[in-house]
Amino acid sequence: MNVSSSLGSLSRHSDSDWEFGHVRLTGYNCSKAALNMATILLAKELAATGILVNSVAPGFTATDLNGGGPGAQSPAEGAKASVEVALRMPGAAGGFFTLEGRESW
């Protein structure tokens, strides 16, 4: 399970009405988009081995990057979200998920 972010979603950033479209952390957003691509490619490469590879966007989590911004969940809550998504997706590979379900690339 790769820990990504909705900020790495190309389709979300292409939506002019997306509530977080104003967050333009170029290095961060691009690295998460690259991680999502790596997820897809690794999932395909490892498909025959039974190893499943997915990305999860755990949600707004307090980190040094955002100064623990208001409304952010704790790192422990972010980790819990990642584990919950992983446990709910048996057999899924090459996907991008949030707690609400599949996220758009």
Side-chain angles (χ1 to χ4, degrees):
M1 184 63 73
N2 293 315
V3 179
S4 188
S5 169
S6 295
L7 294 175
S9 169
L10 299 177
S11 60
R12 294 272 188 201
H13 278 286
S14 297
D15 177 358
S16 61
D17 294 327
W18 185 45
E19 65 181 311
F20 298 109
H22 67 282
V23 181
R24 297 185 181 131
L25 303 169
T26 303
Y28 181 82
N29 296 6
C30 290
S31 71
K32 293 305 185 177
L35 178 66
N36 291 343
M37 175 58 76
T39 298
I40 293 169
L41 297 177
L42 283 170
K44 289 179 179 182
E45 185 173 329
L46 297 172
T49 70
I51 297 172
L52 305 176
V53 183
N54 290 293
S55 282
V56 63
F60 184 44
T61 303
T63 65
D64 289 343
L65 178 69
N66 60 37
Q73 64 186 347
S74 72
E77 291 168 320
K80 181 180 176 189
S82 298
V83 171
E84 285 183 26
V85 169
L87 293 174
R88 274 195 277 158
M89 301 300 152
F96 183 25
F97 301 97
T98 66
L99 280 171
E100 289 76 39
R102 190 174 287 270
E103 177 80 3
S104 59
W105 293 110

